[in-house]
Amino acid sequence: MDTAGCVFKAQFKRYDNNKKLKAAGYIDYMDRAQAKDSSEYLEYMGNSEKSEGVFTATLNSLTKEEKKQLKEQYKLAESKGSNLQKYLFTFKDEWLKENGLMADDRVLRSDLLMEYTRAAMITLQKNENMENFIWSGAIHYNTEHIHIHLSMIDPAPSWIDGEGRCFMYNGKLEQRGKLKPNTLNKTKSTFINLAIGGKELNENINKIIRDDIIINFKVNDAMKERMEFKNRLEYIVERLPADKSMWKYNMNILEPIRADIDELTDWFISNNYNKEFKSLKDELNSIEYKYAQSYGNSYKQGKFTNEKIDELYSRFGNAILSECKKLSEPNSINGTLDISTSKKNAILSDLKYNIRGSLFDMSKALNTLKKSLKKDIQSLKNQAIYEYNEKMAELEVNSYGR
């Protein structure tokens, strides 16, 4: 029996011209107890009954359109002969709790698990010269042990012997699927070192979440907050372009209303997470100071902090725009409610769309964005610390090389 608190395993499915991998379906895999091929794996990873959804190297969650695009990338890679790489992290509850990644009630710090997984995948890809590969994963809790499924494909596999992962085997060109002997250990070590090294930080953040964040409002305060949120969100929706595909925070077409989106972010921070936001800025300023001390006059003061704050506003801005899309969807209450017109209008004027859950739920949107902002602040804080440690390690290596 393996006593390790964290285990990492790897396998691959080789491309066969006579039998398709159906790699795109790996996003949809294992909805059933017995899966017959990899064509359903991505769906499995994102099965809401078993996981918190698919995440990638850059996204914590995927919209339907983003998931569709990911599947198309997998299909295209398969058509070019890519193998399907499959990896698995599995954890014991005790280990997760000891390192601040799980509370006693089995609530996970999924944001940290995703960040640590990303760092581990960077290690794997660098060690195997697979930086151009595309991967996706999902945190699962449908078994005794929490585990993370990962899959990876090569969007542009080379078919020249000795180039990329192509090699000649028994007179036939193949794509190398097996990892180097030390890659598994390096990948696992990256995850473990971050988890153990961040134990105190994780525990402090968990304490903030548990003790400092006020999640229960008085009824009157909650109503007032909800109404102000509704007005601010509707104001943004009214000024957005007709083409919803352009509703992305950093697109040039949104320049005229970006300040309004940022104001809504400021409002969320001010009303809910002032302390956490200050903690984030203090951490960034501390790292900034260490950078300046390490790099000297060549370091541009303030650049790192400003970039991270901009990233927070960009992430949360897109979360706001996602709720705007839901709000803008055509809704009708005709035939759905057995109430008088006057009462119907009174409800609409108060909460507008929040009726029996069949229309846009303003309270749900408000809570969704609160959770999103909390995760973004925590994620950026840990990401900043990780990037600092990476840069310092790189600086030490470069200095030693001289």
Side-chain angles (χ1 to χ4, degrees), residues 74-107:
Y74 271 58
K75 287 179 182 178
L76 182 59
E78 181 184 351
S79 71
K80 295 179 180 179
S82 171
N83 289 339
L84 179 64
Q85 307 287 145
K86 296 185 286 184
Y87 309 111
L88 177 71
F89 275 106
T90 184
F91 314 97
K92 289 189 174 180
D93 285 8
E94 294 78 9
W95 187 85
L96 292 172
K97 290 176 183 178
E98 286 173 1
N99 292 290
L101 297 171
M102 177 190 283
D104 290 336
D105 55 3
R106 223 168 182 250
V107 173

PDB file of all heavy atoms in Angstrom, residues 74-107:
ATOM      1  N   TYR A  74      -8.132  19.580 -29.571  1.00  0.00           N
ATOM      2  CA  TYR A  74      -7.803  18.167 -29.376  1.00  0.00           C
ATOM      3  C   TYR A  74      -8.043  17.378 -30.677  1.00  0.00           C
ATOM      4  O   TYR A  74      -7.245  16.522 -31.058  1.00  0.00           O
ATOM      5  CB  TYR A  74      -8.651  17.575 -28.247  1.00  0.00           C
ATOM      6  CG  TYR A  74      -8.036  17.699 -26.869  1.00  0.00           C
ATOM      7  CD1 TYR A  74      -7.695  18.942 -26.344  1.00  0.00           C
ATOM      8  CD2 TYR A  74      -7.795  16.585 -26.086  1.00  0.00           C
ATOM      9  CE1 TYR A  74      -7.145  19.066 -25.076  1.00  0.00           C
ATOM     10  CE2 TYR A  74      -7.242  16.688 -24.821  1.00  0.00           C
ATOM     11  CZ  TYR A  74      -6.921  17.943 -24.315  1.00  0.00           C
ATOM     12  OH  TYR A  74      -6.359  18.053 -23.070  1.00  0.00           O
ATOM     13  N   LYS A  75      -9.160  17.662 -31.340  1.00  0.00           N
ATOM     14  CA  LYS A  75      -9.473  16.963 -32.584  1.00  0.00           C
ATOM     15  C   LYS A  75      -8.418  17.246 -33.647  1.00  0.00           C
ATOM     16  O   LYS A  75      -7.983  16.345 -34.372  1.00  0.00           O
ATOM     17  CB  LYS A  75     -10.846  17.403 -33.097  1.00  0.00           C
ATOM     18  CG  LYS A  75     -12.014  16.860 -32.301  1.00  0.00           C
ATOM     19  CD  LYS A  75     -13.333  17.369 -32.874  1.00  0.00           C
ATOM     20  CE  LYS A  75     -14.520  16.873 -32.053  1.00  0.00           C
ATOM     21  NZ  LYS A  75     -15.804  17.420 -32.580  1.00  0.00           N
ATOM     22  N   LEU A  76      -8.021  18.513 -33.750  1.00  0.00           N
ATOM     23  CA  LEU A  76      -7.023  18.889 -34.751  1.00  0.00           C
ATOM     24  C   LEU A  76      -5.685  18.220 -34.459  1.00  0.00           C
ATOM     25  O   LEU A  76      -5.013  17.724 -35.372  1.00  0.00           O
ATOM     26  CB  LEU A  76      -6.856  20.414 -34.763  1.00  0.00           C
ATOM     27  CG  LEU A  76      -5.869  20.982 -35.785  1.00  0.00           C
ATOM     28  CD1 LEU A  76      -6.287  20.598 -37.203  1.00  0.00           C
ATOM     29  CD2 LEU A  76      -5.766  22.500 -35.646  1.00  0.00           C
ATOM     30  N   ALA A  77      -5.301  18.184 -33.183  1.00  0.00           N
ATOM     31  CA  ALA A  77      -4.040  17.539 -32.799  1.00  0.00           C
ATOM     32  C   ALA A  77      -4.071  16.060 -33.152  1.00  0.00           C
ATOM     33  O   ALA A  77      -3.092  15.494 -33.654  1.00  0.00           O
ATOM     34  CB  ALA A  77      -3.787  17.728 -31.304  1.00  0.00           C
ATOM     35  N   GLU A  78      -5.201  15.410 -32.886  1.00  0.00           N
ATOM     36  CA  GLU A  78      -5.326  13.992 -33.208  1.00  0.00           C
ATOM     37  C   GLU A  78      -5.221  13.755 -34.708  1.00  0.00           C
ATOM     38  O   GLU A  78      -4.585  12.792 -35.163  1.00  0.00           O
ATOM     39  CB  GLU A  78      -6.658  13.443 -32.696  1.00  0.00           C
ATOM     40  CG  GLU A  78      -6.831  11.958 -32.996  1.00  0.00           C
ATOM     41  CD  GLU A  78      -8.193  11.430 -32.570  1.00  0.00           C
ATOM     42  OE1 GLU A  78      -8.928  12.159 -31.898  1.00  0.00           O
ATOM     43  OE2 GLU A  78      -8.493  10.288 -32.927  1.00  0.00           O
ATOM     44  N   SER A  79      -5.834  14.664 -35.492  1.00  0.00           N
ATOM     45  CA  SER A  79      -5.791  14.502 -36.950  1.00  0.00           C
ATOM     46  C   SER A  79      -4.372  14.606 -37.483  1.00  0.00           C
ATOM     47  O   SER A  79      -4.067  14.102 -38.563  1.00  0.00           O
ATOM     48  CB  SER A  79      -6.677  15.556 -37.624  1.00  0.00           C
ATOM     49  OG  SER A  79      -6.107  16.857 -37.514  1.00  0.00           O
ATOM     50  N   LYS A  80      -3.493  15.247 -36.699  1.00  0.00           N
ATOM     51  CA  LYS A  80      -2.096  15.388 -37.099  1.00  0.00           C
ATOM     52  C   LYS A  80      -1.216  14.280 -36.527  1.00  0.00           C
ATOM     53  O   LYS A  80      -0.009  14.261 -36.760  1.00  0.00           O
ATOM     54  CB  LYS A  80      -1.556  16.754 -36.642  1.00  0.00           C
ATOM     55  CG  LYS A  80      -2.239  17.934 -37.328  1.00  0.00           C
ATOM     56  CD  LYS A  80      -1.669  19.246 -36.822  1.00  0.00           C
ATOM     57  CE  LYS A  80      -2.340  20.434 -37.493  1.00  0.00           C
ATOM     58  NZ  LYS A  80      -1.808  21.725 -37.006  1.00  0.00           N
ATOM     59  N   GLY A  81      -1.832  13.361 -35.754  1.00  0.00           N
ATOM     60  CA  GLY A  81      -1.088  12.207 -35.247  1.00  0.00           C
ATOM     61  C   GLY A  81      -0.560  12.328 -33.841  1.00  0.00           C
ATOM     62  O   GLY A  81       0.332  11.574 -33.451  1.00  0.00           O
ATOM     63  N   SER A  82      -1.088  13.268 -33.055  1.00  0.00           N
ATOM     64  CA  SER A  82      -0.613  13.426 -31.680  1.00  0.00           C
ATOM     65  C   SER A  82      -1.027  12.244 -30.805  1.00  0.00           C
ATOM     66  O   SER A  82      -2.122  11.704 -30.952  1.00  0.00           O
ATOM     67  CB  SER A  82      -1.169  14.720 -31.077  1.00  0.00           C
ATOM     68  OG  SER A  82      -0.895  14.801 -29.695  1.00  0.00           O
ATOM     69  N   ASN A  83      -0.136  11.853 -29.893  1.00  0.00           N
ATOM     70  CA  ASN A  83      -0.523  10.930 -28.832  1.00  0.00           C
ATOM     71  C   ASN A  83      -1.441  11.655 -27.857  1.00  0.00           C
ATOM     72  O   ASN A  83      -1.521  12.888 -27.856  1.00  0.00           O
ATOM     73  CB  ASN A  83       0.700  10.436 -28.055  1.00  0.00           C
ATOM     74  CG  ASN A  83       1.558   9.496 -28.875  1.00  0.00           C
ATOM     75  OD1 ASN A  83       1.102   8.905 -29.838  1.00  0.00           O
ATOM     76  ND2 ASN A  83       2.818   9.362 -28.474  1.00  0.00           N
ATOM     77  N   LEU A  84      -2.102  10.906 -27.006  1.00  0.00           N
ATOM     78  CA  LEU A  84      -2.879  11.482 -25.910  1.00  0.00           C
ATOM     79  C   LEU A  84      -2.157  11.139 -24.611  1.00  0.00           C
ATOM     80  O   LEU A  84      -2.073   9.982 -24.218  1.00  0.00           O
ATOM     81  CB  LEU A  84      -4.296  10.905 -25.893  1.00  0.00           C
ATOM     82  CG  LEU A  84      -5.205  11.429 -24.767  1.00  0.00           C
ATOM     83  CD1 LEU A  84      -5.459  12.924 -24.920  1.00  0.00           C
ATOM     84  CD2 LEU A  84      -6.532  10.679 -24.739  1.00  0.00           C
ATOM     85  N   GLN A  85      -1.575  12.157 -23.965  1.00  0.00           N
ATOM     86  CA  GLN A  85      -0.862  11.969 -22.702  1.00  0.00           C
ATOM     87  C   GLN A  85      -1.880  12.102 -21.563  1.00  0.00           C
ATOM     88  O   GLN A  85      -2.693  13.023 -21.554  1.00  0.00           O
ATOM     89  CB  GLN A  85       0.224  13.026 -22.536  1.00  0.00           C
ATOM     90  CG  GLN A  85       1.195  13.136 -23.708  1.00  0.00           C
ATOM     91  CD  GLN A  85       2.160  11.977 -23.764  1.00  0.00           C
ATOM     92  OE1 GLN A  85       2.545  11.526 -24.835  1.00  0.00           O
ATOM     93  NE2 GLN A  85       2.569  11.480 -22.606  1.00  0.00           N
ATOM     94  N   LYS A  86      -1.814  11.201 -20.594  1.00  0.00           N
ATOM     95  CA  LYS A  86      -2.734  11.234 -19.461  1.00  0.00           C
ATOM     96  C   LYS A  86      -1.931  11.183 -18.158  1.00  0.00           C
ATOM     97  O   LYS A  86      -1.043  10.345 -18.001  1.00  0.00           O
ATOM     98  CB  LYS A  86      -3.717  10.055 -19.528  1.00  0.00           C
ATOM     99  CG  LYS A  86      -4.640  10.109 -20.744  1.00  0.00           C
ATOM    100  CD  LYS A  86      -5.678   9.001 -20.716  1.00  0.00           C
ATOM    101  CE  LYS A  86      -5.067   7.644 -21.043  1.00  0.00           C
ATOM    102  NZ  LYS A  86      -6.090   6.575 -21.108  1.00  0.00           N
ATOM    103  N   TYR A  87      -2.274  12.069 -17.224  1.00  0.00           N
ATOM    104  CA  TYR A  87      -1.571  12.149 -15.950  1.00  0.00           C
ATOM    105  C   TYR A  87      -2.587  12.183 -14.811  1.00  0.00           C
ATOM    106  O   TYR A  87      -3.748  12.568 -14.996  1.00  0.00           O
ATOM    107  CB  TYR A  87      -0.687  13.401 -15.886  1.00  0.00           C
ATOM    108  CG  TYR A  87       0.225  13.549 -17.084  1.00  0.00           C
ATOM    109  CD1 TYR A  87       0.029  14.570 -18.006  1.00  0.00           C
ATOM    110  CD2 TYR A  87       1.260  12.655 -17.304  1.00  0.00           C
ATOM    111  CE1 TYR A  87       0.844  14.703 -19.115  1.00  0.00           C
ATOM    112  CE2 TYR A  87       2.094  12.775 -18.406  1.00  0.00           C
ATOM    113  CZ  TYR A  87       1.877  13.797 -19.307  1.00  0.00           C
ATOM    114  OH  TYR A  87       2.684  13.919 -20.403  1.00  0.00           O
ATOM    115  N   LEU A  88      -2.115  11.791 -13.621  1.00  0.00           N
ATOM    116  CA  LEU A  88      -3.002  11.745 -12.471  1.00  0.00           C
ATOM    117  C   LEU A  88      -2.250  12.115 -11.197  1.00  0.00           C
ATOM    118  O   LEU A  88      -1.211  11.538 -10.875  1.00  0.00           O
ATOM    119  CB  LEU A  88      -3.583  10.330 -12.317  1.00  0.00           C
ATOM    120  CG  LEU A  88      -4.482  10.106 -11.098  1.00  0.00           C
ATOM    121  CD1 LEU A  88      -5.810  10.831 -11.277  1.00  0.00           C
ATOM    122  CD2 LEU A  88      -4.716   8.616 -10.866  1.00  0.00           C
ATOM    123  N   PHE A  89      -2.754  13.128 -10.489  1.00  0.00           N
ATOM    124  CA  PHE A  89      -2.329  13.421  -9.125  1.00  0.00           C
ATOM    125  C   PHE A  89      -3.396  12.852  -8.195  1.00  0.00           C
ATOM    126  O   PHE A  89      -4.591  13.051  -8.420  1.00  0.00           O
ATOM    127  CB  PHE A  89      -2.241  14.934  -8.873  1.00  0.00           C
ATOM    128  CG  PHE A  89      -0.947  15.567  -9.289  1.00  0.00           C
ATOM    129  CD1 PHE A  89      -0.889  16.351 -10.416  1.00  0.00           C
ATOM    130  CD2 PHE A  89       0.202  15.388  -8.537  1.00  0.00           C
ATOM    131  CE1 PHE A  89       0.296  16.960 -10.803  1.00  0.00           C
ATOM    132  CE2 PHE A  89       1.397  15.982  -8.912  1.00  0.00           C
ATOM    133  CZ  PHE A  89       1.449  16.765 -10.049  1.00  0.00           C
ATOM    134  N   THR A  90      -2.991  12.154  -7.147  1.00  0.00           N
ATOM    135  CA  THR A  90      -3.955  11.687  -6.152  1.00  0.00           C
ATOM    136  C   THR A  90      -3.414  12.001  -4.758  1.00  0.00           C
ATOM    137  O   THR A  90      -2.203  11.946  -4.528  1.00  0.00           O
ATOM    138  CB  THR A  90      -4.235  10.179  -6.314  1.00  0.00           C
ATOM    139  OG1 THR A  90      -5.248   9.784  -5.382  1.00  0.00           O
ATOM    140  CG2 THR A  90      -2.993   9.343  -6.077  1.00  0.00           C
ATOM    141  N   PHE A  91      -4.303  12.348  -3.835  1.00  0.00           N
ATOM    142  CA  PHE A  91      -3.887  12.849  -2.529  1.00  0.00           C
ATOM    143  C   PHE A  91      -4.654  12.154  -1.400  1.00  0.00           C
ATOM    144  O   PHE A  91      -5.815  11.805  -1.555  1.00  0.00           O
ATOM    145  CB  PHE A  91      -4.158  14.353  -2.414  1.00  0.00           C
ATOM    146  CG  PHE A  91      -3.732  15.149  -3.609  1.00  0.00           C
ATOM    147  CD1 PHE A  91      -4.656  15.493  -4.588  1.00  0.00           C
ATOM    148  CD2 PHE A  91      -2.421  15.568  -3.762  1.00  0.00           C
ATOM    149  CE1 PHE A  91      -4.280  16.230  -5.698  1.00  0.00           C
ATOM    150  CE2 PHE A  91      -2.030  16.303  -4.863  1.00  0.00           C
ATOM    151  CZ  PHE A  91      -2.964  16.624  -5.845  1.00  0.00           C
ATOM    152  N   LYS A  92      -3.986  12.021  -0.268  1.00  0.00           N
ATOM    153  CA  LYS A  92      -4.658  11.582   0.940  1.00  0.00           C
ATOM    154  C   LYS A  92      -5.204  12.814   1.664  1.00  0.00           C
ATOM    155  O   LYS A  92      -4.556  13.859   1.705  1.00  0.00           O
ATOM    156  CB  LYS A  92      -3.693  10.820   1.847  1.00  0.00           C
ATOM    157  CG  LYS A  92      -3.313   9.448   1.295  1.00  0.00           C
ATOM    158  CD  LYS A  92      -2.543   8.635   2.310  1.00  0.00           C
ATOM    159  CE  LYS A  92      -2.293   7.218   1.787  1.00  0.00           C
ATOM    160  NZ  LYS A  92      -1.549   6.398   2.752  1.00  0.00           N
ATOM    161  N   ASP A  93      -6.386  12.659   2.253  1.00  0.00           N
ATOM    162  CA  ASP A  93      -7.012  13.788   2.939  1.00  0.00           C
ATOM    163  C   ASP A  93      -6.105  14.371   4.019  1.00  0.00           C
ATOM    164  O   ASP A  93      -6.017  15.594   4.183  1.00  0.00           O
ATOM    165  CB  ASP A  93      -8.340  13.361   3.572  1.00  0.00           C
ATOM    166  CG  ASP A  93      -9.441  13.184   2.535  1.00  0.00           C
ATOM    167  OD1 ASP A  93      -9.132  13.248   1.322  1.00  0.00           O
ATOM    168  OD2 ASP A  93     -10.605  12.990   2.936  1.00  0.00           O
ATOM    169  N   GLU A  94      -5.436  13.497   4.771  1.00  0.00           N
ATOM    170  CA  GLU A  94      -4.577  13.961   5.871  1.00  0.00           C
ATOM    171  C   GLU A  94      -3.482  14.874   5.352  1.00  0.00           C
ATOM    172  O   GLU A  94      -3.149  15.889   5.972  1.00  0.00           O
ATOM    173  CB  GLU A  94      -3.960  12.766   6.610  1.00  0.00           C
ATOM    174  CG  GLU A  94      -4.956  11.895   7.353  1.00  0.00           C
ATOM    175  CD  GLU A  94      -5.725  10.953   6.419  1.00  0.00           C
ATOM    176  OE1 GLU A  94      -5.367  10.863   5.230  1.00  0.00           O
ATOM    177  OE2 GLU A  94      -6.680  10.314   6.891  1.00  0.00           O
ATOM    178  N   TRP A  95      -2.912  14.518   4.206  1.00  0.00           N
ATOM    179  CA  TRP A  95      -1.829  15.327   3.615  1.00  0.00           C
ATOM    180  C   TRP A  95      -2.352  16.687   3.176  1.00  0.00           C
ATOM    181  O   TRP A  95      -1.704  17.714   3.404  1.00  0.00           O
ATOM    182  CB  TRP A  95      -1.211  14.573   2.438  1.00  0.00           C
ATOM    183  CG  TRP A  95       0.007  15.246   1.863  1.00  0.00           C
ATOM    184  CD1 TRP A  95       1.296  15.127   2.295  1.00  0.00           C
ATOM    185  CD2 TRP A  95       0.040  16.137   0.736  1.00  0.00           C
ATOM    186  NE1 TRP A  95       2.139  15.888   1.512  1.00  0.00           N
ATOM    187  CE2 TRP A  95       1.387  16.516   0.551  1.00  0.00           C
ATOM    188  CE3 TRP A  95      -0.923  16.638  -0.121  1.00  0.00           C
ATOM    189  CZ2 TRP A  95       1.791  17.391  -0.472  1.00  0.00           C
ATOM    190  CZ3 TRP A  95      -0.538  17.507  -1.140  1.00  0.00           C
ATOM    191  CH2 TRP A  95       0.807  17.873  -1.305  1.00  0.00           C
ATOM    192  N   LEU A  96      -3.516  16.685   2.565  1.00  0.00           N
ATOM    193  CA  LEU A  96      -4.119  17.949   2.127  1.00  0.00           C
ATOM    194  C   LEU A  96      -4.408  18.849   3.323  1.00  0.00           C
ATOM    195  O   LEU A  96      -4.146  20.064   3.287  1.00  0.00           O
ATOM    196  CB  LEU A  96      -5.405  17.676   1.348  1.00  0.00           C
ATOM    197  CG  LEU A  96      -5.246  16.998  -0.017  1.00  0.00           C
ATOM    198  CD1 LEU A  96      -6.605  16.605  -0.577  1.00  0.00           C
ATOM    199  CD2 LEU A  96      -4.528  17.914  -1.007  1.00  0.00           C
ATOM    200  N   LYS A  97      -4.923  18.271   4.409  1.00  0.00           N
ATOM    201  CA  LYS A  97      -5.245  19.057   5.593  1.00  0.00           C
ATOM    202  C   LYS A  97      -3.977  19.593   6.253  1.00  0.00           C
ATOM    203  O   LYS A  97      -3.939  20.755   6.686  1.00  0.00           O
ATOM    204  CB  LYS A  97      -6.033  18.194   6.587  1.00  0.00           C
ATOM    205  CG  LYS A  97      -7.446  17.863   6.126  1.00  0.00           C
ATOM    206  CD  LYS A  97      -8.138  16.912   7.110  1.00  0.00           C
ATOM    207  CE  LYS A  97      -9.520  16.538   6.615  1.00  0.00           C
ATOM    208  NZ  LYS A  97     -10.199  15.571   7.528  1.00  0.00           N
ATOM    209  N   GLU A  98      -2.952  18.764   6.337  1.00  0.00           N
ATOM    210  CA  GLU A  98      -1.701  19.180   6.965  1.00  0.00           C
ATOM    211  C   GLU A  98      -1.072  20.367   6.253  1.00  0.00           C
ATOM    212  O   GLU A  98      -0.377  21.173   6.866  1.00  0.00           O
ATOM    213  CB  GLU A  98      -0.708  18.013   6.974  1.00  0.00           C
ATOM    214  CG  GLU A  98      -1.032  16.930   7.987  1.00  0.00           C
ATOM    215  CD  GLU A  98      -0.113  15.724   7.830  1.00  0.00           C
ATOM    216  OE1 GLU A  98       0.775  15.768   6.945  1.00  0.00           O
ATOM    217  OE2 GLU A  98      -0.293  14.747   8.579  1.00  0.00           O
ATOM    218  N   ASN A  99      -1.322  20.487   4.964  1.00  0.00           N
ATOM    219  CA  ASN A  99      -0.712  21.551   4.176  1.00  0.00           C
ATOM    220  C   ASN A  99      -1.693  22.656   3.791  1.00  0.00           C
ATOM    221  O   ASN A  99      -1.456  23.431   2.863  1.00  0.00           O
ATOM    222  CB  ASN A  99      -0.067  20.957   2.916  1.00  0.00           C
ATOM    223  CG  ASN A  99       1.140  20.106   3.250  1.00  0.00           C
ATOM    224  OD1 ASN A  99       2.176  20.615   3.658  1.00  0.00           O
ATOM    225  ND2 ASN A  99       0.998  18.796   3.126  1.00  0.00           N
ATOM    226  N   GLY A 100      -2.787  22.735   4.545  1.00  0.00           N
ATOM    227  CA  GLY A 100      -3.722  23.836   4.382  1.00  0.00           C
ATOM    228  C   GLY A 100      -4.513  23.818   3.097  1.00  0.00           C
ATOM    229  O   GLY A 100      -5.034  24.854   2.671  1.00  0.00           O
ATOM    230  N   LEU A 101      -4.620  22.642   2.462  1.00  0.00           N
ATOM    231  CA  LEU A 101      -5.327  22.550   1.189  1.00  0.00           C
ATOM    232  C   LEU A 101      -6.729  21.969   1.333  1.00  0.00           C
ATOM    233  O   LEU A 101      -7.479  21.895   0.366  1.00  0.00           O
ATOM    234  CB  LEU A 101      -4.521  21.693   0.205  1.00  0.00           C
ATOM    235  CG  LEU A 101      -3.157  22.268  -0.175  1.00  0.00           C
ATOM    236  CD1 LEU A 101      -2.347  21.246  -0.972  1.00  0.00           C
ATOM    237  CD2 LEU A 101      -3.319  23.549  -0.982  1.00  0.00           C
ATOM    238  N   MET A 102      -7.074  21.556   2.552  1.00  0.00           N
ATOM    239  CA  MET A 102      -8.408  21.018   2.806  1.00  0.00           C
ATOM    240  C   MET A 102      -8.800  21.318   4.247  1.00  0.00           C
ATOM    241  O   MET A 102      -7.985  21.177   5.161  1.00  0.00           O
ATOM    242  CB  MET A 102      -8.445  19.501   2.561  1.00  0.00           C
ATOM    243  CG  MET A 102      -9.798  18.859   2.884  1.00  0.00           C
ATOM    244  SD  MET A 102      -9.739  17.051   2.872  1.00  0.00           S
ATOM    245  CE  MET A 102      -9.743  16.736   1.111  1.00  0.00           C
ATOM    246  N   ALA A 103     -10.046  21.748   4.426  1.00  0.00           N
ATOM    247  CA  ALA A 103     -10.560  21.988   5.771  1.00  0.00           C
ATOM    248  C   ALA A 103     -11.069  20.677   6.365  1.00  0.00           C
ATOM    249  O   ALA A 103     -11.186  19.669   5.663  1.00  0.00           O
ATOM    250  CB  ALA A 103     -11.679  23.023   5.716  1.00  0.00           C
ATOM    251  N   ASP A 104     -11.379  20.704   7.659  1.00  0.00           N
ATOM    252  CA  ASP A 104     -11.845  19.485   8.328  1.00  0.00           C
ATOM    253  C   ASP A 104     -13.138  18.955   7.734  1.00  0.00           C
ATOM    254  O   ASP A 104     -13.414  17.757   7.790  1.00  0.00           O
ATOM    255  CB  ASP A 104     -12.043  19.750   9.828  1.00  0.00           C
ATOM    256  CG  ASP A 104     -10.713  19.941  10.545  1.00  0.00           C
ATOM    257  OD1 ASP A 104      -9.688  19.443  10.030  1.00  0.00           O
ATOM    258  OD2 ASP A 104     -10.698  20.595  11.605  1.00  0.00           O
ATOM    259  N   ASP A 105     -13.955  19.861   7.159  1.00  0.00           N
ATOM    260  CA  ASP A 105     -15.212  19.424   6.547  1.00  0.00           C
ATOM    261  C   ASP A 105     -15.028  19.016   5.090  1.00  0.00           C
ATOM    262  O   ASP A 105     -15.976  18.903   4.335  1.00  0.00           O
ATOM    263  CB  ASP A 105     -16.272  20.527   6.646  1.00  0.00           C
ATOM    264  CG  ASP A 105     -15.800  21.847   6.046  1.00  0.00           C
ATOM    265  OD1 ASP A 105     -14.669  21.873   5.514  1.00  0.00           O
ATOM    266  OD2 ASP A 105     -16.552  22.825   6.109  1.00  0.00           O
ATOM    267  N   ARG A 106     -13.781  18.801   4.680  1.00  0.00           N
ATOM    268  CA  ARG A 106     -13.406  18.318   3.341  1.00  0.00           C
ATOM    269  C   ARG A 106     -13.629  19.367   2.244  1.00  0.00           C
ATOM    270  O   ARG A 106     -13.730  19.035   1.065  1.00  0.00           O
ATOM    271  CB  ARG A 106     -14.122  17.024   2.985  1.00  0.00           C
ATOM    272  CG  ARG A 106     -13.207  15.986   2.303  1.00  0.00           C
ATOM    273  CD  ARG A 106     -13.813  14.623   2.195  1.00  0.00           C
ATOM    274  NE  ARG A 106     -12.848  13.702   1.571  1.00  0.00           N
ATOM    275  CZ  ARG A 106     -12.981  13.200   0.363  1.00  0.00           C
ATOM    276  NH1 ARG A 106     -14.015  13.526  -0.375  1.00  0.00           N
ATOM    277  NH2 ARG A 106     -12.070  12.372  -0.136  1.00  0.00           N
ATOM    278  N   VAL A 107     -13.728  20.623   2.647  1.00  0.00           N
ATOM    279  CA  VAL A 107     -13.804  21.697   1.657  1.00  0.00           C
ATOM    280  C   VAL A 107     -12.401  21.964   1.133  1.00  0.00           C
ATOM    281  O   VAL A 107     -11.466  22.171   1.905  1.00  0.00           O
ATOM    282  CB  VAL A 107     -14.394  22.982   2.271  1.00  0.00           C
ATOM    283  CG1 VAL A 107     -14.306  24.137   1.273  1.00  0.00           C
ATOM    284  CG2 VAL A 107     -15.836  22.751   2.684  1.00  0.00           C
TER     285      VAL A 107
END
